[in-house]
Amino acid sequence: KFFQAIIHPDTNETIFMPFRMSGYIPFGTPIVVGLLLPNQTLASTVFWQWLNQSHNACVNYANRNATKPSPTSKFIQGYLGAVISAVSIAVGLNVLIQRANKFTPATRLLIQRFVPFPAVASANICNVVLMRHTELEEGIDVLDNNGNIVGSSRVAAKHALLETALTRVVLPMPILVLPPIIMSVLEKTSLLRSRPRMILPVQSLVCLAAFGLALPLAISLFPQMSEV
């Protein structure tokens, strides 16, 4: 189990700790807390979306399917596409919410808390597709029951890409949807009303719990080795 958590299955190289799946929660939680901070400015929205996609790109690269080499330009293209889509969607939705006259300030603040999810989910799909588009053209290695390579398959690559993209949508769903709901309830309690400085630590714990729940569920949706 230690070996599987640390070593890449294709390259047999040690994965840098912050980019391992076992390191995703401790290194990713501070970014999630930043994404869900209330009353964000344009600069803070851009910064946290950029930092999140930078971390995601590194995790995707470190845990990529390495049976076929991909040019570095593909990963740069995926990274830039993810950052641009995440920032543009987050900023665009925030601007639309601010201009919506029908919402009260309290309602507007509540809706803004859910903006990170569509931005992150769409950017994650963009990141995966752009980074691993070469696999759709060239295919990925397929193995027999004994682990021997028997050929290359574009059908298998399509399956792998689809499953990865779905995982990247499911993963941020509880992380970026549950904490805003929970915090909107907790912030109305007398404890946090009388101690506003406790809001950030409590939100950090809520995000950590949501992340810890979501990551194993998202990864367990599909097996490490799929059958076609």
Side-chain angles (χ1 to χ4, degrees):
K1 287 180 180 178
F2 277 119
F3 184 86
Q4 289 178 338
I6 295 170
I7 305 299
H8 193 287
D10 296 332
T11 64
N12 288 324
E13 295 177 354
T14 303
I15 301 172
F16 186 43
M17 187 183 291
F19 308 144
R20 298 172 192 166
M21 279 299 167
S22 54
Y24 205 5
I25 294 171
F27 289 96
T29 299
I31 300 174
V32 172
V33 174
L35 283 170
L36 296 175
L37 288 173
N39 298 317
Q40 297 222 27
T41 62
L42 177 63
S44 65
T45 300
V46 171
F47 171 76
W48 288 112
Q49 289 292 344
W50 164 78
L51 188 61
N52 182 55
Q53 290 307 321
S54 297
H55 183 238
N56 286 346
C58 291
V59 171
N60 286 345
Y61 180 79
N63 296 279
R64 69 197 183 282
N65 185 317
T67 57
K68 290 286 181 70
S70 296
T72 307
S73 60
K74 286 288 182 183
F75 292 100
I76 295 173
Q77 186 182 21
Y79 168 65
L80 292 176
V83 170
I84 292 169
S85 60
V87 169
S88 58
I89 291 172
V91 171
L93 287 175
N94 276 325
V95 170
L96 286 174
I97 293 167
Q98 289 293 341
R99 292 181 178 178
N101 298 323
K102 295 180 180 179
F103 300 133
T104 63
T107 305
R108 191 179 290 117
L109 180 62
L110 180 62
I111 295 173
Q112 277 183 317
R113 286 183 159 184
F114 294 97
V115 167
F117 172 66
V120 169
S122 57
N124 285 353
I125 295 173
C126 182
N127 191 319
V128 169
V129 172
L130 289 173
M131 272 192 170
R132 299 178 61 173
H133 189 262
T134 307
E135 296 176 17
L136 294 175
E137 300 167 353
E138 300 178 2
I140 57 174
D141 289 345
V142 286
L143 318 172
D144 60 15
N145 291 331
N146 297 318
N148 301 313
I149 298 174
V150 295
S152 185
S153 169
R154 284 183 288 182
V155 174
K158 186 178 179 181
H159 277 278
L161 202 64
L162 180 61
E163 289 180 358
T164 305
L166 285 173
T167 302
R168 295 296 188 272
V169 173
V170 172
L171 176 58
M173 193 179 295
I175 299 171
L176 298 176
V177 173
L178 284 179
I181 296 173
I182 295 171
M183 287 307 299
S184 65
V185 174
L186 292 179
E187 285 173 4
K188 295 176 182 177
T189 60
S190 57
L191 176 66
L192 291 185
R193 278 185 173 180
S194 60
R195 297 177 179 84
R197 290 184 179 180
M198 290 291 294
I199 292 177
L200 186 58
V202 170
Q203 181 170 316
S204 300
L205 288 174
V206 170
C207 290
L208 181 63
F211 211 155
L213 173 69
L215 185 62
L217 289 174
I219 294 175
S220 67
L221 286 175
F222 307 106
Q224 176 79 25
M225 300 293 291
S226 295
E227 294 183 0
V228 179

